[in-house]
Amino acid sequence: MNENGTIGLIADHLPDWQTGWSMGAFGALAEFHQDEDEPALVDDIAALTRATGRGAIRFDPAVVERLQPIAYETLSPKPRRWSHAVALCLPAEEAACARRSVLTELGPDSDAIAPQNRTDILFDMGLSLANCDFCIRTSDPDLLSVLRANEGRSLFAPDNPAMGAILKAHPHRVATTKAGRAEVFQKIGGPDTGGVSPPGPHTHVLPKLMASGRTHTANTPIPDAMVPVAFLHPGNPVIGPFGEDRAFDPDLYARFQALLDAHGHPSLVAVKQQVNRALAEGRMPGDFDPPDGRHERAALRIALRQKVRLAEHADDAGLSQLVAAWRTVFDMPRMSDEADDEAPGH
């Protein structure tokens, strides 16, 4: 891994097609993903920028070294899975954005990653997010007419036609945070996409989740004083790029464990180390005192899920049996503790 701090962390992962990125808040998210061998239209790692024909991501090098990376793992509702990510965080006051609550025209998007988009008009959607200005960008005269006629109003007002016009026109979505910006060019998930988000770069805007006012879910172990302004999602050893089950990949597993050791919360890393040491000593679950905290309990369960996959990969029947005994005690489903691995940036 590049040793140049957070800049090196981002630069190392930008060219990796298995790494996804997101910016936004709980309920409003812009995600950037690449396919294997998908051509990059902009590939400027020195400028921390990458773009394809479907979306783009750019980080501000002047801000990046102030970001605190927090690597973490979360439970999946599926008992042989877990998710992982690195939250890139700032203190809450430094992460704060405009928090506009109504549709607002911002003018030409002079900061657009692609030059041809810099004369298109940017509108803040007025989602009132603490850590992100969630925008749309368009040069469509019909859509511009509707947006300008309804500027200053909530997009979610029952009689506001602007949201319907947005869903019909599929403008670019642009999520900006103090870390940089994510741009999505693909269609908005809805009637025109069969009710699902398209693969690759896409956005989610879910008013019921936004109503919580959270920047991230309670499943994400981010310190109270910090706010995520971006996430990177390295390749997962048990979940494929389209959310499918994949054969256990020990290399992807080892890569993220190195990130976790470097950037994970010490108490969670310590729990996993204690579990692995106890299993290596052949101890039974009755000889282990489980941790009390919610995130620590999740770390215990994740360690066991990972250990059973490692044992299967090594064809170690004895270890598989031991881990199975531990899981009957410590990894029984508790849905209040589970995270949704289909929404990694949340």
Side-chain angles (χ1 to χ4, degrees):
M1 180 182 295
N2 188 311
E3 298 297 328
N4 190 19
T6 310
I7 286 180
L9 175 67
I10 294 172
D12 281 343
H13 284 85
L14 270 178
D16 181 3
W17 73 273
Q18 295 196 83
T19 296
W21 306 83
S22 61
M23 293 184 183
F26 188 46
L29 203 66
E31 301 186 26
F32 175 73
H33 303 276
Q34 306 169 71
D35 287 346
E36 188 175 13
D37 299 325
E38 182 175 9
L41 304 182
V42 178
D43 185 12
D44 190 344
I45 303 305
L48 302 182
T49 304
R50 193 164 180 87
T52 68
R54 301 185 295 166
I57 185 88
R58 181 176 69 206
F59 287 88
D60 182 351
V63 175
V64 161
E65 280 306 339
R66 300 202 300 275
L67 299 177
Q68 179 179 336
I70 299 174
Y72 64 92
E73 297 170 317
T74 53
L75 288 163
S76 166
K78 299 181 180 181
R80 290 174 56 79
R81 289 186 174 200
W82 61 92
S83 294
H84 63 216
V86 180
L88 302 173
C89 301
L90 287 170
E93 63 276 10
E94 191 175 347
C97 289
R99 300 203 74 160
R100 300 179 184 92
S101 59
V102 294
L103 184 65
T104 305
E105 182 172 348
L106 303 179
D109 187 14
S110 57
D111 290 328
I113 292 172
Q116 66 268 24
N117 297 133
R118 293 174 187 164
T119 57
D120 295 349
I121 306 302
L122 196 67
F123 285 81
D124 191 316
M125 294 179 69
L127 303 187
S128 194
L129 306 176
N131 61 332
C132 177
D133 293 331
F134 210 92
C135 304
I136 53 174
R137 182 177 66 207
T138 187
S139 59
D140 181 329
D142 292 334
L143 180 57
L144 284 170
S145 177
V146 175
L147 296 176
R148 285 169 171 159
N150 291 279
E151 188 180 6
R153 302 181 64 200
S154 169
L155 277 178
F156 304 109
D159 61 342
N160 190 341
M163 183 60 88
I166 291 168
L167 293 173
K168 181 179 179 181
H170 301 283
H172 291 179
R173 281 82 71 211
V174 181
T176 66
T177 74
K178 292 303 175 64
R181 62 165 49 202
E183 302 183 2
V184 175
F185 311 149
Q186 298 205 103
K187 287 185 175 182
I188 300 169
D192 293 343
T193 62
V196 297
S197 297
H202 61 273
T203 51
H204 301 282
V205 175
L206 305 171
K208 288 184 179 180
L209 297 183
M210 288 189 297
S212 70
R214 299 184 62 91
T215 57
H216 55 283
T217 74
N219 296 307
T220 307
I222 294 175
D224 290 341
M226 303 299 288
V227 169
V229 290
F231 292 84
L232 68 94
H233 310 279
N236 187 295
V238 295
I239 305 173
F242 300 104
E244 75 279 12
D245 287 327
R246 76 185 321 165
F248 179 72
D249 187 323
D251 291 334
L252 290 178
Y253 169 77
R255 288 179 201 172
F256 191 80
Q257 296 312 299
L259 288 175
L260 194 66
D261 288 343
H263 304 296
H265 193 285
S267 69
L268 305 183
V269 174
V271 168
K272 293 187 67 180
Q273 291 172 342
Q274 292 163 10
V275 172
N276 289 335
R277 184 163 53 248
L279 290 170
E281 294 169 356
R283 291 162 57 189
M284 297 302 293
D287 299 326
F288 185 82
D289 293 326
D292 293 328
R294 172 182 183 169
H295 296 306
E296 286 76 13
R297 291 196 306 270
L300 164 58
R301 296 175 66 189
I302 291 165
L304 295 175
R305 295 181 184 196
Q306 293 171 342
K307 205 67 176 179
V308 76
R309 300 301 291 266
L310 287 163
E312 290 171 353
H313 183 74
D315 197 21
D316 187 336
L319 180 57
S320 293
Q321 291 175 358
L322 179 60
V323 177
W326 277 64
R327 292 188 71 193
T328 61
V329 176
F330 297 126
D331 193 22
M332 298 300 289
R334 302 176 184 88
M335 290 308 295
S336 62
D337 287 349
E338 302 283 16
D340 180 359
D341 60 22
E342 301 306 320
H346 289 180

